[in-house]
Amino acid sequence: MANSKPALGQSGKLKPAEDQLTARMKGAQALLAAVAAKTHGQAARSAFKAAPASKAERKATKKAVELTTEATKALHERRYKTAETLFDQAIALFPSPPHRLLINRLTAASKAANHAYVAEHYPQIRALATTDEEKATVDHIWIDCLVAAGYPDQALELIAAWRNSDVKIWASIQTVAGIIEEDRGNFNKAMAIQEAILARDPNCDVARWHLSLHQMAAGKLPDAFDNYDVRWKISDFPSERRLFDIPRWQGEALVGKKILVWREQGVGDEIRFAGLLTDLVEIGADVTFECTAKLVPLFLPSFPDITVRPVVPAANRTSALYAEFDFETPLGSLPRFLRPSVEALKTKAKPFLKRSPEVENNVREAMIARPDQPVIGLCWRSSLRNLHRDKNYLRAEHIAALKLLGKSGFICLQYDQCADEVALMQELGLPVTQFTSIDQMNDLAGAALLAGACDLVISAGTATAELSAGLGVPTLLFGPEHSRTRLGTDGMPWHPATRYLPTNPDEPIELMKTILFNWASIATWAEEKSISGRKIDWSQSYPRA
């Protein structure tokens, strides 16, 4: 198939391998291929013997194999930055690196969201690929880069070129077209793409996985939750696969039964799904929840009828430790059986995290906020940054526009290193208070006290938004227009006091304009939804001219 013209980046400095690969390099190539395929012993030694080489050359090749093995392991363990470094060290050992090694390096860059590396090196590495499988692999990486950088039409052209191919990863390439259509709000078209893949290959897990995500975006429940169970078969799904000798819960009656619920995904997901734990208690279950260790101080007082404990390290798990349970289930599977529809989610949604009014008032006093002064919490981005995610985050200069909100007070709820950003906001006139004594990344109970001290939280789609919503603090959540967590609605069915505001990646300041121009109605809504018991004079916050 023809090469795709690069839409990003400049040409790299890789030299054409065809002009420089010697018999020694061909032997190294075969050896590295054997390692990548996890073949060992005689096969690897035979590959090495395929080319005569000097002692120095053999030593360099042996070291490259060791580095490649370590890098491949790092990839499997999702330590992508480490994999990049190891592959770079292996590449540096060769005057003209084997092209399979370069493809592996490009894969590591893609996994690490290092789009600059992909854009720079794609044309040269694509030219070195010799088989259709290799070309498809490199093109898939380039397609993902184009999507992340905002070039969906170019990505679709390249996807179409592989539509009728019989390469092993054809389905994985085609699923990206569905992702693009979902991002555009074409949910039916996105679902149709995945369904067409499944018609050709009913066992295609990656297509079923993306189908479930499209169905969530469209609010097609419970089908989305049913298909969502395939996540454990997806190699890139980030959660640990846990195996038990006890059966997985599939909706059976739980009266008098003991069930283990175990964490999965990120902290924000964990907080959101934890809101369903009380449903298990209501249907008669004896519940034990293994959660992220840093969430234990937050969840213990919030779920007095549930045994909350930190997830047991894999090395310390024994069959005896779990023998008392009748069932086990990952946390993200609870909606499938407990709240299988949008209406059920809305009806049962309620604040579930315990608050401490006395400490919240102490926080407000520490920032010298008057008892009736509106206090607004701010979180403008995630700590996980990349080209694709950053499109729906805000910068300090955008947030600073909220200085127009009258005499409001502001608390920084950004949980990672952000001192420079806060300093810029203050320099631009936003009176934001940062409680540096609280590690909001790791002290979630402390972070909850800060969020609870707020009368309104404005947050990107992070754990902060889930934390404030779980506390019952009125929350303005902003993010991509077609967020899956909205489940096809104009709000957030998971929480009763959350409003969703879509961002415009091309004009991020538009979000601030929307908030400022609609502040009177937002303040009225926040006053109605608040459960803090504080008497706030929202008129103090009305925007100045």
Side-chain angles (χ1 to χ4, degrees):
M1 58 181 286
N3 255 343
S4 171
K5 293 183 178 180
L8 298 173
Q10 302 296 322
S11 297
K13 299 179 180 179
L14 302 178
K15 298 178 181 180
E18 294 83 353
D19 297 335
Q20 300 186 32
L21 277 180
T22 61
R24 172 181 64 80
M25 295 310 302
K26 290 179 181 177
Q29 179 107 297
L31 180 57
L32 291 167
V35 170
K38 296 185 178 180
T39 58
H40 305 286
Q42 185 60 42
R45 288 191 292 272
S46 298
F48 180 72
K49 293 177 180 177
S54 67
K55 181 177 180 181
E57 291 169 338
R58 291 197 302 271
K59 184 177 180 181
T61 301
K62 181 180 179 181
K63 180 62 176 177
V65 169
E66 293 173 355
L67 290 167
T68 299
T69 302
E70 292 180 35
T72 302
K73 180 182 178 183
L75 272 181
H76 291 161
E77 295 174 350
R78 302 183 184 87
R79 295 183 288 116
Y80 301 133
K81 293 295 184 182
T82 299
E84 286 190 288
T85 299
L86 292 169
F87 279 130
D88 281 339
Q89 293 173 358
I91 289 170
L93 295 170
F94 299 106
S96 183
H99 76 270
R100 291 178 186 270
L101 183 57
L102 297 174
I103 291 174
N104 288 342
R105 175 62 179 91
L106 197 69
T107 298
S110 179
K111 297 290 187 182
N114 185 354
H115 304 299
Y117 184 97
V118 174
E120 180 180 1
H121 294 89
Y122 164 75
Q124 292 74 34
I125 296 177
R126 179 60 167 79
L128 297 177
T130 58
T131 68
D132 282 348
E133 294 292 345
E134 291 175 349
K135 294 173 184 177
T137 297
V138 176
D139 279 356
H140 195 345
I141 292 170
W142 183 234
I143 288 166
D144 290 340
C145 182
L146 288 172
V147 173
Y151 293 85
D153 291 329
Q154 291 91 327
L156 287 171
E157 289 179 7
L158 193 50
I159 291 169
W162 288 101
R163 184 168 298 145
N164 298 318
S165 170
D166 59 358
V167 294
K168 293 179 180 178
I169 65 169
W170 73 269
S172 182
I173 293 175
Q174 298 308 310
T175 59
V176 182
I179 296 171
I180 292 171
E181 295 302 340
E182 179 193 322
D183 190 55
R184 290 172 166 175
N186 300 327
F187 302 141
N188 290 335
K189 190 171 183 179
M191 289 185 285
I193 289 171
Q194 310 303 346
E195 287 167 349
I197 296 172
L198 288 167
R200 176 173 166 181
D201 180 4
N203 297 317
C204 183
D205 295 328
V206 68
R208 191 166 302 282
W209 163 243
H210 285 294
L211 175 60
S212 76
L213 300 180
H214 304 333
Q215 290 170 329
M216 283 190 189
K220 299 290 186 183
L221 308 181
D223 292 346
F225 291 150
D226 291 341
N227 287 318
Y228 190 58
D229 209 43
V230 79
R231 64 193 183 279
W232 302 109
K233 298 180 181 180
I234 305 303
S235 60
D236 284 341
F237 187 68
S239 298
E240 178 189 5
R241 279 71 170 161
R242 297 185 62 177
L243 299 176
F244 298 87
D245 293 330
I246 51 178
R248 173 70 52 86
W249 183 55
Q250 298 294 332
E252 296 91 341
L254 290 176
V255 177
K257 301 293 185 180
K258 292 186 176 182
I259 183 170
L260 171 75
V261 182
W262 45 278
R263 69 160 303 277
E264 60 169 294
Q265 303 183 58
V267 169
D269 303 287
E270 195 170 348
I271 296 172
R272 183 191 319 124
F273 288 128
L276 280 71
L277 288 170
T278 53
D279 291 20
L280 291 173
V281 177
E282 291 172 0
I283 60 176
D286 181 345
V287 184
T288 295
F289 178 35
E290 282 193 354
C291 65
T292 299
K294 64 183 179 181
L295 284 171
V296 171
L298 177 69
F299 286 155
L300 270 175
S302 300
F303 301 119
D305 299 323
I306 294 172
T307 300
V308 177
R309 68 190 191 193
V311 62
V312 178
N316 299 337
R317 295 173 194 161
T318 63
S319 298
L321 185 62
Y322 300 103
E324 64 176 300
F325 295 103
D326 299 291
F327 298 101
E328 55 83 13
T329 183
L331 182 63
S333 293
L334 294 182
R336 181 184 183 191
F337 303 108
L338 299 175
R339 302 183 191 179
S341 68
V342 172
E343 189 58 35
L345 282 164
K346 287 183 176 180
T347 301
K348 294 186 176 183
K350 60 183 178 181
F352 56 90
L353 296 177
K354 186 174 178 58
R355 299 177 66 160
S356 177
E358 181 180 355
V359 180
E360 291 175 6
N361 288 333
N362 290 340
V363 170
R364 294 170 69 89
E365 290 175 4
M367 62 179 294
I368 317 178
R370 296 180 304 279
D372 65 346
Q373 182 181 14
V375 173
I376 301 166
L378 303 173
C379 176
W380 51 94
R381 58 169 175 77
S382 168
S383 61
L384 179 59
R385 309 285 300 278
N386 59 48
L387 187 63
H388 183 67
R389 294 170 66 91
D390 280 357
K391 291 188 293 186
N392 294 296
Y393 297 151
L394 297 179
R395 298 194 302 272
E397 55 266 36
H398 302 140
I399 292 291
L402 295 176
K403 67 183 180 181
L404 297 175
L405 291 180
K407 297 180 180 179
S408 301
F410 298 89
I411 295 180
C412 174
L413 300 181
Q414 187 63 45
Y415 49 85
D416 60 352
Q417 295 297 323
C418 60
D420 292 343
E421 294 163 283
V422 171
L424 177 57
M425 292 177 192
Q426 294 170 337
E427 181 182 338
L428 293 173
L430 184 70
V432 58
T433 300
Q434 185 177 23
F435 288 86
T436 55
S437 60
I438 296 179
D439 178 3
Q440 296 188 61
M441 175 73 80
N442 297 300
D443 180 5
L444 274 298
L449 294 172
L450 296 183
C454 299
D455 304 300
L456 175 73
V457 168
I458 302 173
S459 177
T462 68
T464 295
E466 298 297 336
L467 190 63
S468 63
L471 291 164
V473 178
T475 301
L476 294 182
L477 169 62
F478 63 85
E481 182 177 1
H482 306 295
S483 171
R484 293 160 185 160
T485 55
R486 299 173 71 182
L487 301 177
T489 71
D490 59 357
M492 278 288 288
W494 304 91
H495 303 295
T498 298
R499 290 178 66 168
Y500 194 90
L501 298 177
T503 54
N504 180 351
D506 297 325
E507 294 290 344
I509 196 63
E510 290 296 326
L511 177 65
M512 294 296 100
K513 292 181 180 178
T514 297
I515 292 174
L516 291 170
F517 292 158
N518 294 280
W519 187 254
S521 64
I522 290 173
T524 299
W525 168 80
E527 185 174 22
E528 293 173 349
K529 293 294 185 179
S530 176
I531 62 172
S532 70
R534 294 188 288 263
K535 301 297 183 181
I536 302 300
D537 180 6
W538 283 96
S539 65
Q540 298 181 55
S541 69
Y542 287 177
R544 302 191 297 271

